Amino acid sequence: MRLHLAFLVLLSVLVQCIGRDIVIIGLTLSLTGDKHLTQPSLEIRHGLELFVEKANAEKTFVAINGNHLKVELQIQDDEGNPDKVKAFYEHMIHNRTVDLLMGPVSVELSMVALEVALSLQRSIMLLTAHTDWGQAILGQIDFLQQPGVFSVGAAADTLMEDGLEKLIQLGAKSMSAISWPGAVSAQVCESAVADALRMNYEVAIEQKVSNSISLMKAMTNIAAQDPDVIVACGKRDEVSLTVVAAQHKQVGARAMIVLDGDSPFVREQVGATANFLLAPSSWHKDTTHQCRVFGNSSIFSDTLEKSLGHELKHAPQAAAAVAAASMLLAAREKIAFQGPEFDKHMALSQSLQTVSEKTVYGELTFGSDGMLQNRRALTVQVIPRHGSSNVRKILLNSSASIVWPMPSWNNRFSETGQAECQPGFVPTSAVFITGEAGQVDDGGTGCLACPAGKSSYKNSVVCLSCRQGKHAERPGSNCTQCPAGAECPEKGTVLPEAKPGFYRLVRNSSDREMIFAACTTPSICTGKNKCSDANEGILCHNCQIGYTNTGFVRGGSRCVECMHSFALVALLAGWLIVLYIAARMCRKPSMVGLLTKRIVSYIHLTSAAVMAGEMYEQSPVFGAIADACLNPLQTIFGPDCLFRSALQESGVSPEEFILILGVILLPVLLFMVAGVFAVIFVVDVLGQDSSRVNKRTGQPLRLNIRVLARQIVQQAKTWVIVWFYMLYCPLIRMLLVNVDLVYLDEYRMRIRPSILWSDHMTISIMAIIAVFVYGACMPLMFLLGLRRMGRTTGLNSHEAQETFGILYNDFEPEFWWAEIVMFMFKLVFLSTLCLHGSAVRILVMLAVLFGYSQFLFHFKPFSTRDFYMLARLEFSCIISLLGILSGQVFISWMHFGETRVDDTQALEWGVYSAVWCSHALFFVLAAQSFYTCTLYKPLILKSIAMPDAMNSLERRICNSSNISQIKWDSVGQRLDFSTLSRANRHELQEVLIAASSAFVYSANQLHMSFLVTAIDEALKMCVENRREELKEKHPALLAQKKWGGVYGCYKYYCPKASN
């Protein structure tokens, strides 16, 4: 049963195969890739599929044995790649998968297929002949020795003949030709010149061009000749340039015949300038030719348009492919097509030379050279459809159908007139095929915006790509020069790319021009908004997780790996310890506390001056110190490292974290101080010793809770004021880092591009409010508190000294408000860091510093004790600030000026050396002041009041012979003050005047002995005053025993430890 079933199946197959031969036609088409190749390839494929379907259905082609030929197609997608074309044709030939070969769609790809066919001795049918390899190659083939190469294209020497004939009938008299390189281009133009001479044209010298420069020169010559007709021969992109050059030079030719002038490629390149051009064409759908498959060519074009669903754009190519297939099958009908492959293709080649076939192309016959015989190209003219961007190609059956003369270059939009269009726009009726969306109509004026990357002149008919170095960002905009910091490396640039060292900031809602900002460290921005190494984000300002560009390990703005968390916590602890020691020293009402205040103020102000200019970025040492002083939390341990993951999860940026920390820092500190002293209060209450008794009354001592609570509150106030003074400048800087007073949006894009403009405004307003509260309102509250305290208990009272002493102890009594002025000076000085541009910041800082200097010179608020020690330190601070800001100006001038690199380095070294010297001067004065207050001055008092208690080391430090003293000579007649300094002599004068005044106002007569007595009393009083000063300020000196050497000093300075 199974044998019978298999036999029946085999029999049915044999029945189906009997009476027909299968013929496979193979070719490649560019179905994907370049749209200029895919569009004609798709129409060719549809045309061939319709042809095969129709031929098989009607059994049109019959083999020599009487069987009908069943046609099949094998189409490969070469994607416009020559390598794939070569591979596909070699595969088809070697594996014998096809019987007949047809060529690809483009010139370059046809050249590859031709070489493969010739090398493997196979016949091939090409779709065009006027290509760069041209008719010359076909003429070299010996059809008697090898299979031939055939083409259905018109001969190159006949392409311009029809158009020239029709134009001379209309009155054309002169002709000029422009020929581009290439064998076919040269042959087309040479044949056109020969035809023109034969037709009695006045022919100018043929202009041969090779590039755009020679083209413009040639077009200038042609414009001077003013011919009636211009013939352009070349490839599609070359003739497009020729048409644009003619329009640019406003050549007044009455007609222009352009090779491939009717192709969509040329129309896309030159736009409406292609309107009314003449072009040779191998076929037109309005022609009527009889054919065996479709009946006639009109049926073929209508059927193909209906299948595609749109008007044919590449009808000649589709018709050529169908005609080529018809010729191959007609030749196959005449031969047996059996035997070796070489013999079969030799027979096919000989059959093609003898066969004559009616096709949609007309009745075709090949000559011995493989070209069609007695076939001349047609001439078409591109005519715009009124009110549409499409065109129709008119077949010129007679000279009367030609639009002659063609309209001027600025009047080619429609058959009736044109629209007035501004630069960047072309008329909607112009041919404008760009394949891009987003074109905007210009307010109903009939003008269409050029796409981004292209523009046009006023009343121009074509949108041209912007040249290199220019860009057009929006549709309808002009091509503008790339801004500074940007590059436009290619034609048709839409958005410029940032150069290395610059960063393109994203456009914001205000739609202002793009900003190409210079990166703070140019090497981290590698161009095109890309960053080097671990940097990322806007301006490459941010770092990847695990990296930071702040802190002591920073490399400018380059991100480096974070330190270990343990090391960061240790740094934070060290910073807090240093801060606590400095705060504890500032709390003291002595000269040591006042000197510490001046040093803290100096560090903060000089750090702000460093941040104002390029010194901050160029000097790692100065930058790190400035950050550690004014951005301590972010610099020393940094939220980038310790809290980066937590901040990312919460959506809070490091800058927002710093802002929040700055806002809550003082309230948290206030509560912490209050909590510490509350604990102290509770411990004191609970630890009351009930066994303690009053020695006079014998009653148990009771703890006065009210007094204790008052003391604790007073101490808490004191510590809050001390911490406020210590953290005032860092706090202001932490808050102001979120405010940019000039380019708020640029700062937003640089730091936090993910935050909207409105959100950033909210954050900035919060920061400004916090700055106003902490920077201005808090000092004003201190001012009111000082004023109230001065009116009630007086500023010299113990309570006032303990609470507010840090604010006025270093000033003269009448200038108790001077510290508030200094707070305001620091606020304004630090606020200048928000200004845009280092030059502006430095100039404003210099102006603020000048005003502050005038205040000091005019009022002289600092205390004059200890020989103007505090005033000298403050003016040394002003000198350092002037040196830093002047150095910033000098560095900026060197970078903007034309200074050699070697000279710049030497000058920068000089500037930094001067800054270091100013720092050294201040700290030498500070060290001298500390030495004077803590060591030298107490020893002087001791040497005068109790010289017997001096040990040997103290005598070496304080040589009594060098101490300025006043004494009588041996006779007692003269007062010796030769060892007094100028300041001491001034004090002696004051004493003498005071003593004289006492006798003058208290007695009616003055004896010289009275004056001597007054001087003796003054000297005794001086010794007593110094002894009292020792008792009050240095009680340990009076209690000190005569211990020798270093141990004696150790007993004095560390009495608790020594005990």
Side-chain angles (χ1 to χ4, degrees), residues 791-841:
R791 290 182 175 180
T792 55
T793 62
L795 296 178
N796 292 326
S797 65
H798 178 74
E799 182 182 356
Q801 286 286 339
E802 284 293 325
T803 306
F804 295 102
I806 187 175
L807 297 177
Y808 61 84
N809 280 333
D810 44 354
F811 301 103
E812 291 294 328
E814 62 270 25
F815 298 113
W816 53 269
W817 44 265
E819 190 65 58
I820 310 304
V821 176
M822 297 191 70
F823 275 129
M824 297 298 118
F825 161 67
K826 292 176 183 177
L827 175 62
V828 177
F829 197 78
L830 289 169
S831 298
T832 57
L833 295 176
C834 297
L835 299 178
H836 182 77
S838 59
V840 177
R841 291 194 294 268

Side-chain angles (χ1 to χ4, degrees), residues 496-639:
E497 295 289 351
K499 290 181 178 178
F502 291 83
Y503 200 95
R504 185 184 71 200
L505 298 178
V506 182
R507 183 182 302 279
N508 61 10
S509 57
S510 63
D511 200 36
R512 66 165 183 251
E513 294 183 1
M514 290 179 295
I515 300 173
F516 289 87
C519 297
T520 52
T521 302
S523 60
I524 66 176
C525 297
T526 59
K528 297 183 179 180
N529 281 18
K530 296 181 180 179
C531 308
S532 63
D533 300 330
N535 289 75
E536 63 181 8
I538 304 300
L539 279 180
C540 301
H541 177 81
N542 298 329
C543 299
Q544 299 174 8
I545 296 178
Y547 292 82
T548 182
N549 53 9
T550 61
F552 294 123
V553 295
R554 70 174 190 166
S557 297
R558 191 176 299 279
C559 296
V560 295
E561 192 172 358
C562 289
M563 297 174 64
H564 195 273
S565 300
F566 178 79
L568 295 175
V569 173
L571 281 175
L572 176 61
W575 177 76
L576 292 176
I577 291 173
V578 172
L579 188 64
Y580 173 75
I581 293 174
R584 190 172 181 84
M585 293 178 67
C586 285
R587 182 177 176 273
K588 296 179 180 179
S590 63
M591 183 59 69
V592 174
L594 302 181
L595 291 175
T596 306
K597 277 183 58 181
R598 300 273 64 80
I599 293 175
V600 171
S601 177
Y602 175 84
I603 292 173
H604 289 162
L605 291 175
T606 52
S607 298
V610 168
M611 287 183 173
E614 298 184 17
M615 194 179 293
Y616 175 70
E617 293 293 342
Q618 293 187 0
S619 174
V621 177
F622 283 145
I625 294 175
D627 274 341
C629 296
L630 284 185
N631 296 328
L633 296 178
Q634 189 171 2
T635 300
I636 293 177
F637 66 99

Side-chain angles (χ1 to χ4, degrees), residues 679-964:
V679 172
I680 294 174
F681 172 75
V682 173
V683 171
D684 286 344
V685 172
L686 296 178
Q688 179 182 357
D689 189 1
S690 58
S691 62
R692 296 175 60 187
V693 296
N694 193 325
K695 295 181 179 180
R696 292 182 181 179
T697 63
Q699 298 294 327
L701 288 175
R702 293 184 178 180
L703 182 65
N704 192 335
I705 297 179
R706 181 177 297 179
V707 174
L708 179 60
R710 185 176 179 182
Q711 291 175 354
I712 291 176
V713 170
Q714 183 177 344
Q715 291 180 4
K717 289 181 182 178
T718 304
W719 275 105
V720 168
I721 296 175
V722 170
W723 282 115
F724 179 82
Y725 182 87
M726 296 295 297
L727 298 176
Y728 180 78
C729 291
L731 181 64
I732 296 301
R733 181 57 186 160
M734 288 168 64
L735 296 173
L736 287 178
V737 78
N738 294 275
V739 180
D740 192 301
L741 300 179
V742 179
Y743 288 141
L744 190 61
D745 281 324
E746 180 181 348
Y747 190 84
R748 171 185 64 83
M749 289 183 288
R750 183 170 75 246
I751 302 299
R752 291 183 303 278
S754 60
I755 297 180
L756 298 177
W757 183 82
S758 57
D759 296 338
H760 182 76
M761 282 297 297
T762 304
I763 295 173
S764 298
I765 292 173
M766 290 174 57
I768 293 173
I769 293 173
V771 168
F772 176 74
V773 171
Y774 293 145
C777 294
M778 290 288 289
L780 292 177
M781 289 175 61
F782 293 155
L783 178 67
L784 296 176
L786 287 173
R787 184 181 180 188
R788 181 175 177 274
M789 186 71 71
R791 290 182 175 180
T792 55
T793 62
L795 296 178
N796 292 326
S797 65
H798 178 74
E799 182 182 356
Q801 286 286 339
E802 284 293 325
T803 306
F804 295 102
I806 187 175
L807 297 177
Y808 61 84
N809 280 333
D810 44 354
F811 301 103
E812 291 294 328
E814 62 270 25
F815 298 113
W816 53 269
W817 44 265
E819 190 65 58
I820 310 304
V821 176
M822 297 191 70
F823 275 129
M824 297 298 118
F825 161 67
K826 292 176 183 177
L827 175 62
V828 177
F829 197 78
L830 289 169
S831 298
T832 57
L833 295 176
C834 297
L835 299 178
H836 182 77
S838 59
V840 177
R841 291 194 294 268
I842 293 170
L843 290 177
V844 175
M845 278 189 173
L846 287 172
V848 174
L849 187 61
F850 176 77
Y852 177 65
S853 302
Q854 291 301 310
F855 164 76
L856 294 181
F857 279 116
H858 180 72
F859 290 100
K860 299 181 178 60
F862 283 99
S863 175
T864 59
R865 54 183 169 175
D866 294 314
F867 305 107
Y868 300 93
M869 187 182 296
L870 298 176
R872 284 189 299 168
L873 282 178
E874 191 65 18
F875 280 104
S876 176
C877 175
I878 292 176
I879 292 173
S880 294
L881 291 175
L882 285 173
I884 294 172
L885 294 176
S886 301
Q888 300 271 34
V889 174
F890 201 67
I891 291 174
S892 300
W893 171 77
M894 285 189 297
H895 288 173
F896 284 104
E898 298 179 356
T899 310
R900 294 184 307 174
V901 176
D902 296 339
D903 296 340
T904 301
Q905 293 177 349
L907 292 173
E908 285 184 359
W909 183 86
V911 169
Y912 289 126
S913 299
V915 173
W916 280 116
C917 289
S918 66
H919 287 320
L921 173 63
F922 176 85
F923 284 104
V924 166
L925 288 176
Q928 181 186 9
S929 301
F930 271 105
Y931 169 75
T932 301
C933 296
T934 60
L935 183 62
Y936 190 72
K937 185 177 177 181
L939 289 179
I940 289 177
L941 293 174
K942 185 176 180 181
S943 65
I944 296 174
M946 43 185 305
D948 295 337
M950 299 280 287
N951 59 44
S952 58
L953 180 60
E954 291 173 340
R955 288 193 182 95
R956 288 190 184 93
I957 296 174
C958 181
N959 190 355
S960 59
S961 61
N962 295 330
I963 300 175
S964 301

Side-chain angles (χ1 to χ4, degrees), residues 5 28 126 139 281 382 487 605 634 708 813 821 927 943 1004 1007:
L5 183 60
T28 66
L126 302 178
S281 180
V382 179
E487 58 183 0
L605 291 175
Q634 189 171 2
L708 179 60
V821 176
S943 65
N1004 295 324
H1007 192 272

Side-chain angles (χ1 to χ4, degrees), residues 911-1024:
V911 169
Y912 289 126
S913 299
V915 173
W916 280 116
C917 289
S918 66
H919 287 320
L921 173 63
F922 176 85
F923 284 104
V924 166
L925 288 176
Q928 181 186 9
S929 301
F930 271 105
Y931 169 75
T932 301
C933 296
T934 60
L935 183 62
Y936 190 72
K937 185 177 177 181
L939 289 179
I940 289 177
L941 293 174
K942 185 176 180 181
S943 65
I944 296 174
M946 43 185 305
D948 295 337
M950 299 280 287
N951 59 44
S952 58
L953 180 60
E954 291 173 340
R955 288 193 182 95
R956 288 190 184 93
I957 296 174
C958 181
N959 190 355
S960 59
S961 61
N962 295 330
I963 300 175
S964 301
Q965 296 185 17
I966 305 173
K967 59 183 178 179
W968 296 100
D969 61 2
S970 59
V971 184
Q973 298 293 325
R974 295 180 177 85
L975 189 65
D976 183 12
F977 51 86
S978 59
T979 61
L980 294 184
S981 64
R982 185 179 183 84
N984 290 335
R985 294 185 184 213
H986 178 72
E987 292 181 4
L988 176 61
Q989 181 184 359
E990 295 292 335
V991 170
L992 293 175
I993 293 174
S996 302
S997 299
F999 282 100
V1000 169
Y1001 288 106
S1002 63
N1004 295 324
Q1005 50 183 313
L1006 177 65
H1007 192 272
M1008 293 303 297
S1009 61
F1010 294 168
L1011 185 58
V1012 173
T1013 303
I1015 293 173
D1016 288 337
E1017 291 179 356
L1019 294 178
K1020 291 179 182 180
M1021 185 61 64
C1022 179
V1023 174
E1024 291 297 328

Side-chain angles (χ1 to χ4, degrees), residues 627-685:
D627 274 341
C629 296
L630 284 185
N631 296 328
L633 296 178
Q634 189 171 2
T635 300
I636 293 177
F637 66 99
D640 283 345
C641 295
L642 283 182
F643 307 116
R644 182 65 179 269
S645 300
L647 292 178
Q648 283 190 338
E649 292 177 0
S650 61
V652 178
S653 68
E655 287 74 22
E656 290 175 302
F657 172 75
I658 295 298
L659 170 63
I660 296 171
L661 186 61
V663 171
I664 68 173
L665 182 61
L666 277 183
V668 170
L669 189 62
L670 176 62
F671 284 112
M672 288 178 62
V673 171
V676 169
F677 283 101
V679 172
I680 294 174
F681 172 75
V682 173
V683 171
D684 286 344
V685 172

